[in-house]
Amino acid sequence: MSPGQTAQAAIELRGVSKSFGPVKAVRDVSLAIPDGAVAGIVGENGAGKSTLMNLVYGLVSPDAGEMLVRGREAVLSGPGDAIRLGIGMVHQHFMLVDTFTVAENVALGAEGSALLRPSLAAARRALGRIADEHGLRVDPDAIVGDLPVGEQQRVEILKVLYRGARILILDEPTAVLTPGETDALFRVLRGLSAGGVTVVLVTHKLREIMAATDGVFVMRGGRLVASRPTRETSPGELATLMIGDHGRSVLLPDATSRRRPAVQPEGFPGDAGVHRPHAEAAAASGPRSTQHAVSLDLRAGEIVGVAGVAGNGQGELLEVLAGMRPLAGGRIGLGGREVTPAAPCDPAAMRALGVAHVPEHRHRHGIVEEFTAAETAILGYEADPGLGRRRLDGRAAERSCAGLMARFDVRPPDPRHLSGRFSGGNQQKLVIGREISARPRILLVGQPTRGVDIGAIAAIHREIRALRDEGCAILLVSAELDEIAALADRVLVMLRGRIAGEVPADADPETLGLLMSGAGRERDAA
Amino acid sequence: MRAGGTLPRWAELGLVPLLDVLCAFLAAALVVLAIGVSPLAVLRAILAGALGDAGALGYTLYYATNFVFTGLAVALAFHAGLFNIGGEGQAILGGLGTGLVALALDRVLPGWLLLPVAIAAAALFGAGWAAIPAWLQARRGSHIVITTIMFNFIAAALLVYLLVNVLIAPGSMSPETRAFQPAASLPLAHDGLRALGFAAAPSPLNASGLVALAAAAAVWFTLWHTRFGYRLRVMGLNPGAALYAGIPIGRMTVGVLCLSGALAGMVGINEILGVQHRLILNFSAGYGFGGIAVALMGRNHPAGIVLASLLFGILNQGGAEISFDIPAVSREMVTVIQGLVILFSGALAGFSRPLARGLLAFAGAALSRRAGAPASREG
């Protein structure tokens, strides 16, 4: 596939640019995606992939350039126009009503009649037809909330196809899937492509690009820097294209840092950093995220990775340990202090005990978008006497934030820049910098590199390792198996709120995948 | 070309609200035209009535004082993500508190001691009245939008009961208390000016105007220069981050609403200690609700609230005068204008942002043309 000279392109962009204020998110991008192809778009976060797709989907309008859909010029004033032109988008976060059936979800928003029954019947017929055409089979009467994540995603795809999409954009579709479900998704995409649907896969995972696409477009700094037929390229080349010269070494797990032996607890006299959390919490957000009697211990100077498909209680575990969620039973021991349901500990008290927390959900918990960087950089630590004895000294906060920004390479290094205007990676560096600067004894980290560009990933990993080497105990929850493999000294796998097993850090992906999907269940008699 | 870009801060905070208000005035002008009166004559009458002489100006500032108190009350709570609609009731309780202190102690204490105690009582009663809905929300989850409104009615009923049955001056026909002794009167502005050697027309403007300015400064300092204010803003902007940071949301809710109620209660000192010198019915006169509009218009910033309060003071005072000059325009017309201001700067806030953007682009182009013109002539 070579862009620009195909007979009939499903989508063609000519010199498209888009700026947000001073930020040039997309600069002069021209590309053509052939009809019926599976095209990959890769790039670091902030490379402009999302903006480009939002332009194609009509969520933002371009400053310059034009777009052609099947050879005809298209000016989109909103997603409605895109849908009419047969362009559909499957978002990273599902937009489904859990308590509705598959058919109801598919018909939702496209009912086409005042009464429900005819539109449901139409949805059911259409589902049958789509199943025949593309081999995309889902029980129309299943309740969506009962389906595994992979099938929920299939419902999302069905929704889009039901609305007549012939061009399907998937934004980071595998973030929530197990390896097995990912393979199934790719088979579905192949089937769609064979049936004439054009698929655009936006991702930063090179393995997936190699496995699923016909052609790949590489973006960097808002520009389209390369396009390649997939079989003529390699992950190494793509990585280099994505970030310039040092792509390779960053992307592949660093062999030397990976196998470092855990620091022995005996090395830390008087159990200064040793603690044995034992959390038993019954969270109340649905059966799949409920936590049951999780026991684990975390020693000074080790990184314990928690692997698992998103939504199996890892997030709740972090929040319980951070004091954000009440403990339903059991106890958490932290050095000398014991936390029980009767003697709870709020996040501020946890911080005072030396527990720092990089939250999984950066926007929901970690930052305040309307705050300046300096204000966000003291969140949770605003009681620090270094920030003024009585009043809160904004200058002192800005000075310490400037130091943090220099150390963690936050860009732009301006403490007065609004937190919400930083790129995801820089926001994350701000949050991680804040928590690491507090010199914690225990660090709880959730998805430290979600939405973070590759250059920043390396820096964040380096900081986490350095903290471990100083004797901090670190609990790492990540959806990226590569990340867990690169950082963790041992790995716990969570499934349905339980620890499904512990494996050494060098366990092969198949073993992990089996544990994550529940096939290797041997400990829990349910 | 930066179409769709964000506006500079000064334009966002100054130009946009100004244009919003101008739009409201334009809409009001259409209404006035519709009843066959010249909008310019109405504008002239309002301005003359509100600012025409020192006495009118004093009245305007006296009204503005009340709006500053209630506007700050709403804004402070709003920064914490709390919508305090109970300013009216808290103002009533503030007046009740200050009135009770004055009645009890005005024959005992000298003015320099009595006034601070009476002011503190206004704050305390206002805070106490806000504390109940706050506690109900923090503990029981009953939403303060509902409970504070209900507490307005309870407060009004309580005042009627007390004035009719308990506090009424013996032998009086109207539900009001006896007049306070002079010790319980806040100094009036024109007396103060006269003592300094300036002649000033009498008006109800009194020392609580200075209290209002001090309150605005204190709210500004609290919000942006204290830990309490920092936590308050975290809570308002991102409750999830407040949970994450370990900010005690329940306790903060009660604390913030108490302060908010104390501010609203200050209306009581302006009205009761400053002007009426006795406890009467209906002295709160809608200032509690007006404060919501003032806070909206002032973008919840103390400086903006002071400016918005001046505008509302002008409308109140000018509106009171207008029916003398133009009989076709009644007092209610001013309520219409106030309503339009609320509509345009509240519900439609930022409605004139594209207009502001256009104006800025036009001004920018004009400036660069002027700067570029000599150069192009040379070339």
Side-chain angles (χ1 to χ4, degrees), chain A residues 351 357 364 367 375 382 384 388 392 435, chain B residues 225 227 230-231 233 238 240 243-245:
Chain A
R351 273 192 194 89
H357 178 202
R364 203 185 307 158
I367 68 168
E375 286 176 307
E382 72 275 1
D384 181 353
L392 189 63
E435 300 304 317
Chain B
H225 294 279
R227 290 182 167 85
Y230 175 84
R231 290 177 178 142
R233 287 182 296 129
N238 187 348
L243 171 71
Y244 162 79

mmCIF file with all atom_site columns, all heavy atoms in Angstrom, chain A residues 351 357 364 367 375 382 384 388 392 435, chain B residues 225 227 230-231 233 238 240 243-245:
data_model
loop_
_atom_site.group_PDB
_atom_site.id
_atom_site.type_symbol
_atom_site.label_atom_id
_atom_site.label_alt_id
_atom_site.label_comp_id
_atom_site.label_asym_id
_atom_site.label_entity_id
_atom_site.label_seq_id
_atom_site.pdbx_PDB_ins_code
_atom_site.Cartn_x
_atom_site.Cartn_y
_atom_site.Cartn_z
_atom_site.occupancy
_atom_site.B_iso_or_equiv
_atom_site.pdbx_formal_charge
_atom_site.auth_seq_id
_atom_site.auth_comp_id
_atom_site.auth_asym_id
_atom_site.auth_atom_id
_atom_site.pdbx_PDB_model_num
ATOM 1   N N   . ARG A 1 351 ? -0.480  9.240  53.863 1.00 0.00 ? 351 ARG A N   1
ATOM 2   C CA  . ARG A 1 351 ? 0.690   9.976  53.379 1.00 0.00 ? 351 ARG A CA  1
ATOM 3   C C   . ARG A 1 351 ? 1.641   10.271 54.528 1.00 0.00 ? 351 ARG A C   1
ATOM 4   O O   . ARG A 1 351 ? 2.849   10.164 54.384 1.00 0.00 ? 351 ARG A O   1
ATOM 5   C CB  . ARG A 1 351 ? 0.258   11.283 52.724 1.00 0.00 ? 351 ARG A CB  1
ATOM 6   C CG  . ARG A 1 351 ? -0.068  11.079 51.289 1.00 0.00 ? 351 ARG A CG  1
ATOM 7   C CD  . ARG A 1 351 ? -0.220  12.365 50.513 1.00 0.00 ? 351 ARG A CD  1
ATOM 8   N NE  . ARG A 1 351 ? -0.851  11.971 49.272 1.00 0.00 ? 351 ARG A NE  1
ATOM 9   C CZ  . ARG A 1 351 ? -2.160  11.907 49.096 1.00 0.00 ? 351 ARG A CZ  1
ATOM 10  N NH1 . ARG A 1 351 ? -2.961  12.299 50.051 1.00 0.00 ? 351 ARG A NH1 1
ATOM 11  N NH2 . ARG A 1 351 ? -2.647  11.467 47.968 1.00 0.00 ? 351 ARG A NH2 1
ATOM 12  N N   . HIS A 1 357 ? 1.036   7.665  46.527 1.00 0.00 ? 357 HIS A N   1
ATOM 13  C CA  . HIS A 1 357 ? 0.086   6.987  45.653 1.00 0.00 ? 357 HIS A CA  1
ATOM 14  C C   . HIS A 1 357 ? 0.008   7.697  44.308 1.00 0.00 ? 357 HIS A C   1
ATOM 15  O O   . HIS A 1 357 ? -0.347  8.865  44.253 1.00 0.00 ? 357 HIS A O   1
ATOM 16  C CB  . HIS A 1 357 ? -1.286  6.973  46.351 1.00 0.00 ? 357 HIS A CB  1
ATOM 17  C CG  . HIS A 1 357 ? -2.374  6.343  45.527 1.00 0.00 ? 357 HIS A CG  1
ATOM 18  N ND1 . HIS A 1 357 ? -3.702  6.597  45.735 1.00 0.00 ? 357 HIS A ND1 1
ATOM 19  C CD2 . HIS A 1 357 ? -2.325  5.479  44.494 1.00 0.00 ? 357 HIS A CD2 1
ATOM 20  C CE1 . HIS A 1 357 ? -4.437  5.901  44.867 1.00 0.00 ? 357 HIS A CE1 1
ATOM 21  N NE2 . HIS A 1 357 ? -3.615  5.228  44.099 1.00 0.00 ? 357 HIS A NE2 1
ATOM 22  N N   . ARG A 1 364 ? -9.173  11.883 37.131 1.00 0.00 ? 364 ARG A N   1
ATOM 23  C CA  . ARG A 1 364 ? -10.200 11.833 38.153 1.00 0.00 ? 364 ARG A CA  1
ATOM 24  C C   . ARG A 1 364 ? -9.616  12.109 39.532 1.00 0.00 ? 364 ARG A C   1
ATOM 25  O O   . ARG A 1 364 ? -10.252 12.709 40.379 1.00 0.00 ? 364 ARG A O   1
ATOM 26  C CB  . ARG A 1 364 ? -10.897 10.465 38.126 1.00 0.00 ? 364 ARG A CB  1
ATOM 27  C CG  . ARG A 1 364 ? -12.274 10.521 38.726 1.00 0.00 ? 364 ARG A CG  1
ATOM 28  C CD  . ARG A 1 364 ? -12.902 9.152  38.795 1.00 0.00 ? 364 ARG A CD  1
ATOM 29  N NE  . ARG A 1 364 ? -12.883 8.453  37.510 1.00 0.00 ? 364 ARG A NE  1
ATOM 30  C CZ  . ARG A 1 364 ? -12.985 7.117  37.426 1.00 0.00 ? 364 ARG A CZ  1
ATOM 31  N NH1 . ARG A 1 364 ? -13.091 6.389  38.509 1.00 0.00 ? 364 ARG A NH1 1
ATOM 32  N NH2 . ARG A 1 364 ? -12.983 6.532  36.257 1.00 0.00 ? 364 ARG A NH2 1
ATOM 33  N N   . ILE A 1 367 ? -4.838  14.960 39.386 1.00 0.00 ? 367 ILE A N   1
ATOM 34  C CA  . ILE A 1 367 ? -4.580  16.379 39.145 1.00 0.00 ? 367 ILE A CA  1
ATOM 35  C C   . ILE A 1 367 ? -5.891  17.144 39.200 1.00 0.00 ? 367 ILE A C   1
ATOM 36  O O   . ILE A 1 367 ? -6.967  16.568 39.197 1.00 0.00 ? 367 ILE A O   1
ATOM 37  C CB  . ILE A 1 367 ? -3.933  16.627 37.757 1.00 0.00 ? 367 ILE A CB  1
ATOM 38  C CG1 . ILE A 1 367 ? -4.916  16.305 36.630 1.00 0.00 ? 367 ILE A CG1 1
ATOM 39  C CG2 . ILE A 1 367 ? -2.669  15.805 37.587 1.00 0.00 ? 367 ILE A CG2 1
ATOM 40  C CD1 . ILE A 1 367 ? -4.448  16.805 35.294 1.00 0.00 ? 367 ILE A CD1 1
ATOM 41  N N   . GLU A 1 375 ? 0.110   24.289 41.800 1.00 0.00 ? 375 GLU A N   1
ATOM 42  C CA  . GLU A 1 375 ? -0.966  23.912 42.714 1.00 0.00 ? 375 GLU A CA  1
ATOM 43  C C   . GLU A 1 375 ? -1.194  22.395 42.680 1.00 0.00 ? 375 GLU A C   1
ATOM 44  O O   . GLU A 1 375 ? -1.411  21.771 43.713 1.00 0.00 ? 375 GLU A O   1
ATOM 45  C CB  . GLU A 1 375 ? -2.259  24.656 42.354 1.00 0.00 ? 375 GLU A CB  1
ATOM 46  C CG  . GLU A 1 375 ? -2.230  26.116 42.741 1.00 0.00 ? 375 GLU A CG  1
ATOM 47  C CD  . GLU A 1 375 ? -3.475  26.863 42.284 1.00 0.00 ? 375 GLU A CD  1
ATOM 48  O OE1 . GLU A 1 375 ? -3.816  26.809 41.092 1.00 0.00 ? 375 GLU A OE1 1
ATOM 49  O OE2 . GLU A 1 375 ? -4.112  27.520 43.119 1.00 0.00 ? 375 GLU A OE2 1
ATOM 50  N N   . GLU A 1 382 ? -0.270  19.585 50.760 1.00 0.00 ? 382 GLU A N   1
ATOM 51  C CA  . GLU A 1 382 ? -0.394  21.022 50.995 1.00 0.00 ? 382 GLU A CA  1
ATOM 52  C C   . GLU A 1 382 ? -0.148  21.383 52.446 1.00 0.00 ? 382 GLU A C   1
ATOM 53  O O   . GLU A 1 382 ? 0.083   22.546 52.764 1.00 0.00 ? 382 GLU A O   1
ATOM 54  C CB  . GLU A 1 382 ? -1.761  21.522 50.512 1.00 0.00 ? 382 GLU A CB  1
ATOM 55  C CG  . GLU A 1 382 ? -2.955  21.102 51.368 1.00 0.00 ? 382 GLU A CG  1
ATOM 56  C CD  . GLU A 1 382 ? -3.488  19.728 50.995 1.00 0.00 ? 382 GLU A CD  1
ATOM 57  O OE1 . GLU A 1 382 ? -2.925  19.094 50.089 1.00 0.00 ? 382 GLU A OE1 1
ATOM 58  O OE2 . GLU A 1 382 ? -4.461  19.287 51.623 1.00 0.00 ? 382 GLU A OE2 1
ATOM 59  N N   . ASP A 1 384 ? 2.400   20.542 54.123 1.00 0.00 ? 384 ASP A N   1
ATOM 60  C CA  . ASP A 1 384 ? 3.847   20.628 54.337 1.00 0.00 ? 384 ASP A CA  1
ATOM 61  C C   . ASP A 1 384 ? 4.245   22.005 54.887 1.00 0.00 ? 384 ASP A C   1
ATOM 62  O O   . ASP A 1 384 ? 3.959   23.027 54.274 1.00 0.00 ? 384 ASP A O   1
ATOM 63  C CB  . ASP A 1 384 ? 4.539   20.386 52.984 1.00 0.00 ? 384 ASP A CB  1
ATOM 64  C CG  . ASP A 1 384 ? 6.051   20.419 53.101 1.00 0.00 ? 384 ASP A CG  1
ATOM 65  O OD1 . ASP A 1 384 ? 6.554   20.751 54.187 1.00 0.00 ? 384 ASP A OD1 1
ATOM 66  O OD2 . ASP A 1 384 ? 6.710   20.113 52.095 1.00 0.00 ? 384 ASP A OD2 1
ATOM 67  N N   . GLY A 1 388 ? 4.959   27.388 53.917 1.00 0.00 ? 388 GLY A N   1
ATOM 68  C CA  . GLY A 1 388 ? 4.482   28.528 54.693 1.00 0.00 ? 388 GLY A CA  1
ATOM 69  C C   . GLY A 1 388 ? 3.898   28.039 55.999 1.00 0.00 ? 388 GLY A C   1
ATOM 70  O O   . GLY A 1 388 ? 3.246   27.003 56.040 1.00 0.00 ? 388 GLY A O   1
ATOM 71  N N   . LEU A 1 392 ? -0.592  29.817 52.837 1.00 0.00 ? 392 LEU A N   1
ATOM 72  C CA  . LEU A 1 392 ? -0.022  28.921 51.841 1.00 0.00 ? 392 LEU A CA  1
ATOM 73  C C   . LEU A 1 392 ? 0.803   29.778 50.900 1.00 0.00 ? 392 LEU A C   1
ATOM 74  O O   . LEU A 1 392 ? 0.273   30.631 50.204 1.00 0.00 ? 392 LEU A O   1
ATOM 75  C CB  . LEU A 1 392 ? -1.152  28.218 51.096 1.00 0.00 ? 392 LEU A CB  1
ATOM 76  C CG  . LEU A 1 392 ? -0.754  27.081 50.164 1.00 0.00 ? 392 LEU A CG  1
ATOM 77  C CD1 . LEU A 1 392 ? -0.120  25.956 50.937 1.00 0.00 ? 392 LEU A CD1 1
ATOM 78  C CD2 . LEU A 1 392 ? -1.983  26.578 49.428 1.00 0.00 ? 392 LEU A CD2 1
ATOM 79  N N   . GLU A 1 435 ? 4.787   12.505 43.874 1.00 0.00 ? 435 GLU A N   1
ATOM 80  C CA  . GLU A 1 435 ? 4.756   11.406 44.824 1.00 0.00 ? 435 GLU A CA  1
ATOM 81  C C   . GLU A 1 435 ? 6.170   10.939 45.181 1.00 0.00 ? 435 GLU A C   1
ATOM 82  O O   . GLU A 1 435 ? 6.451   10.620 46.325 1.00 0.00 ? 435 GLU A O   1
ATOM 83  C CB  . GLU A 1 435 ? 3.927   10.246 44.272 1.00 0.00 ? 435 GLU A CB  1
ATOM 84  C CG  . GLU A 1 435 ? 2.478   10.622 43.973 1.00 0.00 ? 435 GLU A CG  1
ATOM 85  C CD  . GLU A 1 435 ? 1.753   11.191 45.175 1.00 0.00 ? 435 GLU A CD  1
ATOM 86  O OE1 . GLU A 1 435 ? 1.909   10.647 46.286 1.00 0.00 ? 435 GLU A OE1 1
ATOM 87  O OE2 . GLU A 1 435 ? 1.032   12.205 45.023 1.00 0.00 ? 435 GLU A OE2 1
ATOM 88  N N   . HIS B 2 225 ? -4.728  32.034 49.266 1.00 0.00 ? 225 HIS B N   1
ATOM 89  C CA  . HIS B 2 225 ? -3.487  32.107 50.027 1.00 0.00 ? 225 HIS B CA  1
ATOM 90  C C   . HIS B 2 225 ? -3.526  31.345 51.336 1.00 0.00 ? 225 HIS B C   1
ATOM 91  O O   . HIS B 2 225 ? -2.695  31.577 52.207 1.00 0.00 ? 225 HIS B O   1
ATOM 92  C CB  . HIS B 2 225 ? -3.119  33.578 50.285 1.00 0.00 ? 225 HIS B CB  1
ATOM 93  C CG  . HIS B 2 225 ? -2.779  34.306 49.020 1.00 0.00 ? 225 HIS B CG  1
ATOM 94  N ND1 . HIS B 2 225 ? -1.548  34.228 48.427 1.00 0.00 ? 225 HIS B ND1 1
ATOM 95  C CD2 . HIS B 2 225 ? -3.540  35.075 48.220 1.00 0.00 ? 225 HIS B CD2 1
ATOM 96  C CE1 . HIS B 2 225 ? -1.557  34.933 47.312 1.00 0.00 ? 225 HIS B CE1 1
ATOM 97  N NE2 . HIS B 2 225 ? -2.752  35.453 47.159 1.00 0.00 ? 225 HIS B NE2 1
ATOM 98  N N   . ARG B 2 227 ? -4.308  27.290 53.209 1.00 0.00 ? 227 ARG B N   1
ATOM 99  C CA  . ARG B 2 227 ? -4.497  25.862 52.967 1.00 0.00 ? 227 ARG B CA  1
ATOM 100 C C   . ARG B 2 227 ? -5.971  25.516 52.903 1.00 0.00 ? 227 ARG B C   1
ATOM 101 O O   . ARG B 2 227 ? -6.395  24.701 52.100 1.00 0.00 ? 227 ARG B O   1
ATOM 102 C CB  . ARG B 2 227 ? -3.826  25.060 54.088 1.00 0.00 ? 227 ARG B CB  1
ATOM 103 C CG  . ARG B 2 227 ? -2.336  25.139 54.021 1.00 0.00 ? 227 ARG B CG  1
ATOM 104 C CD  . ARG B 2 227 ? -1.668  24.308 55.091 1.00 0.00 ? 227 ARG B CD  1
ATOM 105 N NE  . ARG B 2 227 ? -0.264  24.195 54.759 1.00 0.00 ? 227 ARG B NE  1
ATOM 106 C CZ  . ARG B 2 227 ? 0.656   25.095 55.086 1.00 0.00 ? 227 ARG B CZ  1
ATOM 107 N NH1 . ARG B 2 227 ? 0.308   26.173 55.763 1.00 0.00 ? 227 ARG B NH1 1
ATOM 108 N NH2 . ARG B 2 227 ? 1.908   24.937 54.730 1.00 0.00 ? 227 ARG B NH2 1
ATOM 109 N N   . TYR B 2 230 ? -7.175  26.411 49.578 1.00 0.00 ? 230 TYR B N   1
ATOM 110 C CA  . TYR B 2 230 ? -6.662  25.464 48.590 1.00 0.00 ? 230 TYR B CA  1
ATOM 111 C C   . TYR B 2 230 ? -7.506  24.193 48.592 1.00 0.00 ? 230 TYR B C   1
ATOM 112 O O   . TYR B 2 230 ? -7.965  23.722 47.556 1.00 0.00 ? 230 TYR B O   1
ATOM 113 C CB  . TYR B 2 230 ? -5.208  25.142 48.921 1.00 0.00 ? 230 TYR B CB  1
ATOM 114 C CG  . TYR B 2 230 ? -4.591  24.080 48.040 1.00 0.00 ? 230 TYR B CG  1
ATOM 115 C CD1 . TYR B 2 230 ? -4.059  24.414 46.805 1.00 0.00 ? 230 TYR B CD1 1
ATOM 116 C CD2 . TYR B 2 230 ? -4.556  22.752 48.445 1.00 0.00 ? 230 TYR B CD2 1
ATOM 117 C CE1 . TYR B 2 230 ? -3.499  23.445 45.996 1.00 0.00 ? 230 TYR B CE1 1
ATOM 118 C CE2 . TYR B 2 230 ? -3.997  21.779 47.650 1.00 0.00 ? 230 TYR B CE2 1
ATOM 119 C CZ  . TYR B 2 230 ? -3.466  22.128 46.423 1.00 0.00 ? 230 TYR B CZ  1
ATOM 120 O OH  . TYR B 2 230 ? -2.926  21.169 45.627 1.00 0.00 ? 230 TYR B OH  1
ATOM 121 N N   . ARG B 2 231 ? -7.754  23.690 49.791 1.00 0.00 ? 231 ARG B N   1
ATOM 122 C CA  . ARG B 2 231 ? -8.538  22.449 49.894 1.00 0.00 ? 231 ARG B CA  1
ATOM 123 C C   . ARG B 2 231 ? -9.957  22.667 49.389 1.00 0.00 ? 231 ARG B C   1
ATOM 124 O O   . ARG B 2 231 ? -10.541 21.807 48.729 1.00 0.00 ? 231 ARG B O   1
ATOM 125 C CB  . ARG B 2 231 ? -8.558  21.974 51.341 1.00 0.00 ? 231 ARG B CB  1
ATOM 126 C CG  . ARG B 2 231 ? -7.199  21.482 51.764 1.00 0.00 ? 231 ARG B CG  1
ATOM 127 C CD  . ARG B 2 231 ? -7.145  21.064 53.214 1.00 0.00 ? 231 ARG B CD  1
ATOM 128 N NE  . ARG B 2 231 ? -5.811  20.555 53.491 1.00 0.00 ? 231 ARG B NE  1
ATOM 129 C CZ  . ARG B 2 231 ? -5.153  20.771 54.623 1.00 0.00 ? 231 ARG B CZ  1
ATOM 130 N NH1 . ARG B 2 231 ? -5.714  21.465 55.586 1.00 0.00 ? 231 ARG B NH1 1
ATOM 131 N NH2 . ARG B 2 231 ? -3.949  20.294 54.792 1.00 0.00 ? 231 ARG B NH2 1
ATOM 132 N N   . ARG B 2 233 ? -10.877 24.716 47.108 1.00 0.00 ? 233 ARG B N   1
ATOM 133 C CA  . ARG B 2 233 ? -10.927 24.763 45.644 1.00 0.00 ? 233 ARG B CA  1
ATOM 134 C C   . ARG B 2 233 ? -10.726 23.369 45.037 1.00 0.00 ? 233 ARG B C   1
ATOM 135 O O   . ARG B 2 233 ? -11.341 23.041 44.030 1.00 0.00 ? 233 ARG B O   1
ATOM 136 C CB  . ARG B 2 233 ? -9.881  25.750 45.111 1.00 0.00 ? 233 ARG B CB  1
ATOM 137 C CG  . ARG B 2 233 ? -10.296 27.200 45.358 1.00 0.00 ? 233 ARG B CG  1
ATOM 138 C CD  . ARG B 2 233 ? -9.280  28.179 44.781 1.00 0.00 ? 233 ARG B CD  1
ATOM 139 N NE  . ARG B 2 233 ? -7.992  28.070 45.413 1.00 0.00 ? 233 ARG B NE  1
ATOM 140 C CZ  . ARG B 2 233 ? -6.848  27.929 44.753 1.00 0.00 ? 233 ARG B CZ  1
ATOM 141 N NH1 . ARG B 2 233 ? -6.842  27.899 43.443 1.00 0.00 ? 233 ARG B NH1 1
ATOM 142 N NH2 . ARG B 2 233 ? -5.713  27.840 45.409 1.00 0.00 ? 233 ARG B NH2 1
ATOM 143 N N   . ASN B 2 238 ? -12.433 19.322 41.649 1.00 0.00 ? 238 ASN B N   1
ATOM 144 C CA  . ASN B 2 238 ? -12.289 17.901 41.380 1.00 0.00 ? 238 ASN B CA  1
ATOM 145 C C   . ASN B 2 238 ? -12.473 17.104 42.672 1.00 0.00 ? 238 ASN B C   1
ATOM 146 O O   . ASN B 2 238 ? -11.518 16.843 43.395 1.00 0.00 ? 238 ASN B O   1
ATOM 147 C CB  . ASN B 2 238 ? -10.906 17.626 40.764 1.00 0.00 ? 238 ASN B CB  1
ATOM 148 C CG  . ASN B 2 238 ? -10.753 16.196 40.310 1.00 0.00 ? 238 ASN B CG  1
ATOM 149 O OD1 . ASN B 2 238 ? -11.571 15.343 40.646 1.00 0.00 ? 238 ASN B OD1 1
ATOM 150 N ND2 . ASN B 2 238 ? -9.707  15.922 39.551 1.00 0.00 ? 238 ASN B ND2 1
ATOM 151 N N   . GLY B 2 240 ? -12.910 14.114 43.182 1.00 0.00 ? 240 GLY B N   1
ATOM 152 C CA  . GLY B 2 240 ? -12.101 12.894 43.197 1.00 0.00 ? 240 GLY B CA  1
ATOM 153 C C   . GLY B 2 240 ? -10.698 13.180 43.700 1.00 0.00 ? 240 GLY B C   1
ATOM 154 O O   . GLY B 2 240 ? -10.130 12.397 44.472 1.00 0.00 ? 240 GLY B O   1
ATOM 155 N N   . LEU B 2 243 ? -10.773 13.551 47.429 1.00 0.00 ? 243 LEU B N   1
ATOM 156 C CA  . LEU B 2 243 ? -10.769 12.241 48.080 1.00 0.00 ? 243 LEU B CA  1
ATOM 157 C C   . LEU B 2 243 ? -9.353  11.667 48.086 1.00 0.00 ? 243 LEU B C   1
ATOM 158 O O   . LEU B 2 243 ? -8.859  11.181 49.102 1.00 0.00 ? 243 LEU B O   1
ATOM 159 C CB  . LEU B 2 243 ? -11.717 11.300 47.323 1.00 0.00 ? 243 LEU B CB  1
ATOM 160 C CG  . LEU B 2 243 ? -11.686 9.828  47.725 1.00 0.00 ? 243 LEU B CG  1
ATOM 161 C CD1 . LEU B 2 243 ? -12.320 9.657  49.093 1.00 0.00 ? 243 LEU B CD1 1
ATOM 162 C CD2 . LEU B 2 243 ? -12.404 8.955  46.705 1.00 0.00 ? 243 LEU B CD2 1
ATOM 163 N N   . TYR B 2 244 ? -8.719  11.762 46.936 1.00 0.00 ? 244 TYR B N   1
ATOM 164 C CA  . TYR B 2 244 ? -7.355  11.242 46.785 1.00 0.00 ? 244 TYR B CA  1
ATOM 165 C C   . TYR B 2 244 ? -6.383  11.942 47.735 1.00 0.00 ? 244 TYR B C   1
ATOM 166 O O   . TYR B 2 244 ? -5.512  11.309 48.320 1.00 0.00 ? 244 TYR B O   1
ATOM 167 C CB  . TYR B 2 244 ? -6.928  11.445 45.334 1.00 0.00 ? 244 TYR B CB  1
ATOM 168 C CG  . TYR B 2 244 ? -5.445  11.364 45.079 1.00 0.00 ? 244 TYR B CG  1
ATOM 169 C CD1 . TYR B 2 244 ? -4.799  10.134 44.998 1.00 0.00 ? 244 TYR B CD1 1
ATOM 170 C CD2 . TYR B 2 244 ? -4.701  12.521 44.924 1.00 0.00 ? 244 TYR B CD2 1
ATOM 171 C CE1 . TYR B 2 244 ? -3.452  10.068 44.765 1.00 0.00 ? 244 TYR B CE1 1
ATOM 172 C CE2 . TYR B 2 244 ? -3.343  12.460 44.692 1.00 0.00 ? 244 TYR B CE2 1
ATOM 173 C CZ  . TYR B 2 244 ? -2.720  11.226 44.613 1.00 0.00 ? 244 TYR B CZ  1
ATOM 174 O OH  . TYR B 2 244 ? -1.379  11.164 44.388 1.00 0.00 ? 244 TYR B OH  1
ATOM 175 N N   . ALA B 2 245 ? -6.555  13.259 47.889 1.00 0.00 ? 245 ALA B N   1
ATOM 176 C CA  . ALA B 2 245 ? -5.626  14.015 48.716 1.00 0.00 ? 245 ALA B CA  1
ATOM 177 C C   . ALA B 2 245 ? -5.932  13.867 50.206 1.00 0.00 ? 245 ALA B C   1
ATOM 178 O O   . ALA B 2 245 ? -5.183  14.347 51.040 1.00 0.00 ? 245 ALA B O   1
ATOM 179 C CB  . ALA B 2 245 ? -5.660  15.490 48.325 1.00 0.00 ? 245 ALA B CB  1
#
